[in-house]
Amino acid sequence: MGRRVALAVHPGSGHGTAARIAGTVAERLRAEVDHLELISAATPQALRDSVTACRSAGLDALVVVGGDGAAHQAVQCCAGTEVALGLVPSGTGNDFARALGVPGRPGEAVTALLSALRGGSDRTVDLGRVDGDDPGSSRWFGTVLCTGFDAAVNARANRLPWPSGPRRYDAALLRELLSLRPRPVVVDTDAGSVRVSATLVAVGNTPFYGGGVPICPSARPDDGVFDVTVVGRVSRTRLARILPRLRTGQHVRHPAVHTLRATRVRIEGAAGTEGTAEWPVFADGDPLGALPVNATCVPAALRVLACPQLP
Protein backbone atom coordinates (compact mmCIF):
# COMPACT_ATOMS: atom_id res chain seq x y z
CA MET A 1 0.00 0.00 0.00
CA GLY A 2 1.33 3.43 -0.92
CA ARG A 3 1.78 6.52 1.18
CA ARG A 4 -1.55 7.75 2.62
CA VAL A 5 -1.75 11.31 3.93
CA ALA A 6 -4.59 13.38 5.38
CA LEU A 7 -4.66 17.15 5.02
CA ALA A 8 -6.49 19.30 7.56
CA VAL A 9 -6.87 23.03 6.98
CA HIS A 10 -7.96 25.53 9.62
CA PRO A 11 -9.23 28.31 7.33
CA GLY A 12 -9.32 31.01 10.03
CA SER A 13 -5.66 30.63 10.98
CA GLY A 14 -3.46 33.63 10.29
CA HIS A 15 -6.46 35.81 9.44
CA GLY A 16 -7.28 33.64 6.45
CA THR A 17 -3.74 32.73 5.41
CA ALA A 18 -4.43 29.01 5.81
CA ALA A 19 -7.48 29.20 3.56
CA ARG A 20 -5.57 31.10 0.89
CA ILE A 21 -2.76 28.56 0.64
CA ALA A 22 -4.83 25.39 1.17
CA GLY A 23 -5.33 24.68 -2.54
CA THR A 24 -1.64 24.99 -3.34
CA VAL A 25 -0.67 22.75 -0.42
CA ALA A 26 -3.19 20.11 -1.49
CA GLU A 27 -1.98 20.22 -5.09
CA ARG A 28 1.65 19.76 -4.12
CA LEU A 29 0.86 16.91 -1.74
CA ARG A 30 -1.41 15.16 -4.21
CA ALA A 31 1.42 15.05 -6.75
CA GLU A 32 3.67 13.20 -4.28
CA VAL A 33 1.48 10.79 -2.28
CA ASP A 34 -0.58 7.79 -3.32
CA HIS A 35 -3.71 8.89 -1.51
CA LEU A 36 -4.65 12.30 -0.10
CA GLU A 37 -7.66 12.62 2.19
CA LEU A 38 -9.05 16.11 2.79
CA ILE A 39 -10.34 16.55 6.35
CA SER A 40 -12.82 19.05 7.65
CA ALA A 41 -11.39 20.77 10.72
CA ALA A 42 -14.42 22.87 11.62
CA THR A 43 -14.35 21.64 15.25
CA PRO A 44 -11.82 19.72 17.37
CA GLN A 45 -14.21 16.76 17.61
CA ALA A 46 -14.78 16.72 13.85
CA LEU A 47 -11.01 16.61 13.35
CA ARG A 48 -10.60 13.73 15.80
CA ASP A 49 -13.46 11.74 14.27
CA SER A 50 -12.10 12.21 10.76
CA VAL A 51 -8.53 11.29 11.72
CA THR A 52 -9.79 8.22 13.59
CA ALA A 53 -11.67 7.08 10.48
CA CYS A 54 -8.62 7.67 8.29
CA ARG A 55 -6.38 5.86 10.74
CA SER A 56 -8.59 2.77 10.66
CA ALA A 57 -8.25 2.76 6.86
CA GLY A 58 -4.48 3.14 7.09
CA LEU A 59 -2.91 6.57 7.54
CA ASP A 60 0.78 7.45 7.45
CA ALA A 61 0.72 11.18 8.15
CA LEU A 62 -1.53 14.07 9.09
CA VAL A 63 -0.54 17.41 7.58
CA VAL A 64 -2.04 20.49 9.23
CA VAL A 65 -2.25 23.96 7.71
CA GLY A 66 -2.75 26.39 10.56
CA GLY A 67 -1.24 27.87 13.69
CA ASP A 68 -0.63 26.67 17.22
CA GLY A 69 -4.31 26.04 17.92
CA ALA A 70 -4.51 23.77 14.89
CA ALA A 71 -1.27 22.03 15.88
CA HIS A 72 -2.61 21.50 19.40
CA GLN A 73 -5.72 19.74 18.11
CA ALA A 74 -3.67 17.64 15.70
CA VAL A 75 -1.38 16.56 18.53
CA GLN A 76 -4.42 15.15 20.34
CA CYS A 77 -5.06 12.97 17.27
CA CYS A 78 -1.50 11.78 16.65
CA ALA A 79 0.01 11.39 20.13
CA GLY A 80 0.83 7.80 20.96
CA THR A 81 0.08 6.56 17.43
CA GLU A 82 2.12 5.71 14.35
CA VAL A 83 0.62 8.65 12.43
CA ALA A 84 3.30 11.30 11.83
CA LEU A 85 2.39 14.97 12.11
CA GLY A 86 3.43 17.50 9.49
CA LEU A 87 3.00 21.25 10.02
CA VAL A 88 2.54 24.03 7.49
CA PRO A 89 2.68 27.08 9.79
CA SER A 90 0.16 29.74 8.83
CA GLY A 91 -1.04 31.12 12.15
CA THR A 92 -0.08 34.15 14.20
CA GLY A 93 2.29 32.39 16.62
CA ASN A 94 3.52 29.10 15.11
CA ASP A 95 5.52 28.30 18.24
CA PHE A 96 5.40 24.49 17.91
CA ALA A 97 6.57 24.63 14.30
CA ARG A 98 9.34 27.07 15.30
CA ALA A 99 10.58 24.76 18.05
CA LEU A 100 10.64 21.79 15.67
CA GLY A 101 12.70 23.63 13.09
CA VAL A 102 9.91 23.80 10.51
CA PRO A 103 10.53 26.63 8.01
CA GLY A 104 8.45 29.69 8.82
CA ARG A 105 7.35 30.33 5.23
CA PRO A 106 4.49 28.02 4.22
CA GLY A 107 5.97 27.24 0.80
CA GLU A 108 9.30 26.24 2.31
CA ALA A 109 7.52 24.19 4.97
CA VAL A 110 5.68 22.22 2.26
CA THR A 111 8.96 21.62 0.43
CA ALA A 112 10.47 20.24 3.64
CA LEU A 113 7.41 18.04 4.17
CA LEU A 114 7.61 16.63 0.65
CA SER A 115 11.29 15.88 1.13
CA ALA A 116 10.52 14.00 4.35
CA LEU A 117 7.70 12.07 2.68
CA ARG A 118 9.88 11.09 -0.27
CA GLY A 119 12.64 9.89 2.02
CA GLY A 120 10.28 8.29 4.51
CA SER A 121 12.01 10.29 7.22
CA ASP A 122 10.45 11.30 10.48
CA ARG A 123 11.50 11.47 14.11
CA THR A 124 9.92 11.26 17.52
CA VAL A 125 9.60 14.11 20.00
CA ASP A 126 8.37 14.38 23.57
CA LEU A 127 4.99 15.73 24.60
CA GLY A 128 3.51 17.01 27.82
CA ARG A 129 0.43 15.24 29.13
CA VAL A 130 -2.03 16.96 31.44
CA ASP A 131 -3.85 14.37 33.52
CA GLY A 132 -7.37 15.08 34.74
CA ASP A 133 -9.30 13.41 37.53
CA ASP A 134 -11.51 11.45 35.14
CA PRO A 135 -10.19 8.56 33.00
CA GLY A 136 -9.79 9.62 29.40
CA SER A 137 -9.63 13.32 30.27
CA SER A 138 -5.90 13.70 29.56
CA ARG A 139 -4.74 16.42 27.18
CA TRP A 140 -1.44 16.65 25.33
CA PHE A 141 0.67 19.73 24.69
CA GLY A 142 3.72 20.31 22.55
CA THR A 143 4.98 23.71 23.64
CA VAL A 144 4.40 25.34 27.04
CA LEU A 145 1.90 24.96 29.87
CA CYS A 146 1.56 28.14 31.90
CA THR A 147 -0.38 29.62 34.78
CA GLY A 148 -0.44 32.98 36.50
CA PHE A 149 0.44 36.23 34.79
CA ASP A 150 1.36 34.70 31.43
CA ALA A 151 -1.82 32.60 31.29
CA ALA A 152 -3.86 35.73 32.02
CA VAL A 153 -1.98 37.47 29.20
CA ASN A 154 -2.79 34.55 26.92
CA ALA A 155 -6.47 34.74 27.79
CA ARG A 156 -6.55 38.47 27.14
CA ALA A 157 -4.59 38.10 23.88
CA ASN A 158 -7.19 35.61 22.63
CA ARG A 159 -9.87 38.25 23.21
CA LEU A 160 -8.08 41.09 21.44
CA PRO A 161 -9.15 41.67 17.82
CA TRP A 162 -6.02 43.75 17.16
CA PRO A 163 -3.03 43.82 16.70
CA SER A 164 -2.01 40.53 15.13
CA GLY A 165 0.90 38.19 15.72
CA PRO A 166 3.39 38.74 18.55
CA ARG A 167 2.23 42.36 18.97
CA ARG A 168 -1.14 41.08 20.20
CA TYR A 169 0.66 39.23 22.98
CA ASP A 170 2.69 42.34 23.83
CA ALA A 171 -0.46 44.48 24.00
CA ALA A 172 -2.18 41.98 26.29
CA LEU A 173 0.91 41.80 28.45
CA LEU A 174 0.97 45.53 29.05
CA ARG A 175 -2.71 45.55 30.02
CA GLU A 176 -2.33 42.66 32.46
CA LEU A 177 0.49 44.51 34.23
CA LEU A 178 -2.14 46.79 35.71
CA SER A 179 -3.79 43.90 37.57
CA LEU A 180 -0.59 42.05 38.52
CA ARG A 181 -0.98 40.07 41.75
CA PRO A 182 1.53 37.38 42.77
CA ARG A 183 0.02 34.46 44.71
CA PRO A 184 1.43 31.62 46.83
CA VAL A 185 1.72 28.33 44.96
CA VAL A 186 3.32 24.96 45.48
CA VAL A 187 5.32 23.60 42.53
CA ASP A 188 5.80 19.92 43.29
CA THR A 189 8.11 17.94 40.98
CA ASP A 190 10.14 14.75 40.93
CA ALA A 191 13.14 17.07 41.33
CA GLY A 192 11.81 18.61 44.54
CA SER A 193 9.00 20.78 45.86
CA VAL A 194 8.97 24.57 46.01
CA ARG A 195 6.51 26.87 47.80
CA VAL A 196 6.78 30.37 46.42
CA SER A 197 4.78 33.53 45.98
CA ALA A 198 4.73 33.39 42.20
CA THR A 199 3.96 35.78 39.40
CA LEU A 200 3.93 32.99 36.83
CA VAL A 201 4.91 29.37 36.33
CA ALA A 202 5.75 27.99 32.87
CA VAL A 203 6.34 24.31 32.11
CA GLY A 204 8.18 23.99 28.80
CA ASN A 205 8.40 20.97 26.54
CA THR A 206 9.77 23.45 23.98
CA PRO A 207 11.11 26.98 24.56
CA PHE A 208 8.50 29.23 22.98
CA TYR A 209 5.07 30.70 23.55
CA GLY A 210 3.39 33.99 22.67
CA GLY A 211 4.75 34.10 19.12
CA GLY A 212 8.41 33.36 19.77
CA VAL A 213 8.95 34.30 23.43
CA PRO A 214 11.56 31.81 24.80
CA ILE A 215 10.08 31.57 28.30
CA CYS A 216 11.92 28.26 28.84
CA PRO A 217 14.95 28.96 26.65
CA SER A 218 16.79 25.67 27.28
CA ALA A 219 13.80 23.38 26.73
CA ARG A 220 14.11 20.69 24.05
CA PRO A 221 11.42 18.31 22.88
CA ASP A 222 13.77 15.34 22.68
CA ASP A 223 15.46 15.24 26.11
CA GLY A 224 12.71 13.54 28.13
CA VAL A 225 12.26 16.37 30.67
CA PHE A 226 10.43 19.65 31.13
CA ASP A 227 12.18 22.94 31.74
CA VAL A 228 10.24 24.86 34.40
CA THR A 229 10.48 28.64 34.77
CA VAL A 230 9.10 30.25 37.93
CA VAL A 231 8.96 34.02 38.33
CA GLY A 232 8.61 34.86 42.00
CA ARG A 233 7.00 37.88 43.65
CA VAL A 234 7.90 41.02 41.75
CA SER A 235 6.43 44.49 41.59
CA ARG A 236 5.00 45.92 38.39
CA THR A 237 8.15 47.98 38.02
CA ARG A 238 10.49 45.01 38.43
CA LEU A 239 8.41 42.85 36.10
CA ALA A 240 8.44 45.64 33.51
CA ARG A 241 12.25 45.52 33.70
CA ILE A 242 12.25 41.75 33.20
CA LEU A 243 9.87 41.78 30.23
CA PRO A 244 12.35 43.13 27.64
CA ARG A 245 14.60 40.19 28.45
CA LEU A 246 11.90 37.67 27.53
CA ARG A 247 12.52 37.96 23.80
CA THR A 248 16.20 37.12 24.29
CA GLY A 249 15.83 34.45 26.99
CA GLN A 250 17.97 36.51 29.39
CA HIS A 251 15.15 36.71 31.94
CA VAL A 252 16.36 33.44 33.50
CA ARG A 253 19.38 35.34 34.89
CA HIS A 254 17.19 37.66 36.95
CA PRO A 255 17.31 36.90 40.72
CA ALA A 256 13.50 36.68 40.88
CA VAL A 257 13.45 33.90 38.26
CA HIS A 258 13.99 30.27 39.25
CA THR A 259 14.44 27.36 36.85
CA LEU A 260 14.45 23.59 37.26
CA ARG A 261 14.13 20.44 35.18
CA ALA A 262 11.62 17.70 35.93
CA THR A 263 9.59 14.95 34.30
CA ARG A 264 6.54 15.44 36.52
CA VAL A 265 5.06 18.73 37.71
CA ARG A 266 2.05 19.56 39.88
CA ILE A 267 1.09 23.20 40.45
CA GLU A 268 -1.49 24.13 43.07
CA GLY A 269 -2.42 26.96 45.35
CA ALA A 270 -0.67 26.92 48.70
CA ALA A 271 -2.86 25.71 51.57
CA GLY A 272 -4.62 28.48 53.43
CA THR A 273 -4.46 30.99 50.57
CA GLU A 274 -7.24 32.38 48.44
CA GLY A 275 -7.48 33.26 44.79
CA THR A 276 -4.84 30.97 43.33
CA ALA A 277 -7.43 28.37 42.34
CA GLU A 278 -8.79 31.02 39.99
CA TRP A 279 -5.51 31.20 38.10
CA PRO A 280 -6.14 30.03 34.54
CA VAL A 281 -4.04 27.30 32.96
CA PHE A 282 -3.12 27.37 29.28
CA ALA A 283 -1.18 24.90 27.15
CA ASP A 284 -0.23 25.50 23.50
CA GLY A 285 -2.25 28.71 23.82
CA ASP A 286 -5.46 26.78 24.60
CA PRO A 287 -7.33 27.08 27.93
CA LEU A 288 -7.21 24.02 30.18
CA GLY A 289 -9.20 25.29 33.14
CA ALA A 290 -7.61 26.43 36.39
CA LEU A 291 -5.28 25.21 39.14
CA PRO A 292 -4.44 22.61 40.35
CA VAL A 293 -2.79 20.99 37.34
CA ASN A 294 -0.66 17.88 36.84
CA ALA A 295 1.71 17.52 33.88
CA THR A 296 3.98 14.66 32.84
CA CYS A 297 6.68 14.65 30.16
CA VAL A 298 6.16 11.62 27.91
CA PRO A 299 9.28 10.83 25.87
CA ALA A 300 8.95 10.07 22.15
CA ALA A 301 5.16 10.44 22.26
CA LEU A 302 4.80 12.01 18.80
CA ARG A 303 6.17 11.30 15.33
CA VAL A 304 6.84 14.42 13.28
CA LEU A 305 7.83 15.06 9.66
CA ALA A 306 10.41 17.50 8.29
CA CYS A 307 12.53 17.68 11.42
CA PRO A 308 15.87 16.10 10.49
CA GLN A 309 17.60 18.09 13.22
CA LEU A 310 16.02 20.10 15.95
CA PRO A 311 17.42 23.62 16.46
Side-chain angles (χ1 to χ4, degrees), residues 226-288:
F226 291 132
D227 278 46
V228 183
T229 298
V230 182
V231 178
R233 177 180 289 275
V234 292
S235 65
R236 293 186 182 93
T237 301
R238 289 188 71 189
L239 184 58
R241 291 173 180 171
I242 295 174
L243 294 178
R245 304 184 185 185
L246 286 177
R247 292 282 175 188
T248 64
Q250 296 302 307
H251 59 283
V252 296
R253 298 184 179 182
H254 194 280
V257 178
H258 311 279
T259 62
L260 58 103
R261 307 184 83 213
T263 61
R264 176 189 55 80
V265 180
R266 175 178 173 84
I267 310 168
E268 61 183 341
T273 63
E274 298 180 357
T276 313
E278 301 171 1
W279 267 17
V281 176
F282 275 69
D284 290 345
D286 271 25
L288 294 186

Side-chain angles (χ1 to χ4, degrees), residues 155-301:
R156 182 179 288 274
N158 288 346
R159 297 192 300 267
L160 290 178
W162 183 91
S164 62
R167 291 184 180 179
R168 177 184 297 173
Y169 183 87
D170 292 340
L173 187 149
L174 291 174
R175 295 189 186 185
E176 284 298 323
L177 268 177
L178 299 176
S179 56
L180 175 67
R181 184 186 172 191
R183 293 172 178 171
V185 298
V186 176
V187 182
D188 182 54
T189 79
D190 55 320
S193 182
V194 178
R195 177 174 175 146
V196 61
S197 183
T199 300
L200 67 87
V201 182
V203 180
N205 181 54
T206 58
F208 308 108
Y209 69 2
V213 176
I215 187 66
C216 300
S218 298
R220 290 183 59 88
D222 60 355
D223 59 2
V225 295
F226 291 132
D227 278 46
V228 183
T229 298
V230 182
V231 178
R233 177 180 289 275
V234 292
S235 65
R236 293 186 182 93
T237 301
R238 289 188 71 189
L239 184 58
R241 291 173 180 171
I242 295 174
L243 294 178
R245 304 184 185 185
L246 286 177
R247 292 282 175 188
T248 64
Q250 296 302 307
H251 59 283
V252 296
R253 298 184 179 182
H254 194 280
V257 178
H258 311 279
T259 62
L260 58 103
R261 307 184 83 213
T263 61
R264 176 189 55 80
V265 180
R266 175 178 173 84
I267 310 168
E268 61 183 341
T273 63
E274 298 180 357
T276 313
E278 301 171 1
W279 267 17
V281 176
F282 275 69
D284 290 345
D286 271 25
L288 294 186
L291 292 182
V293 64
N294 298 289
T296 302
C297 183
V298 182

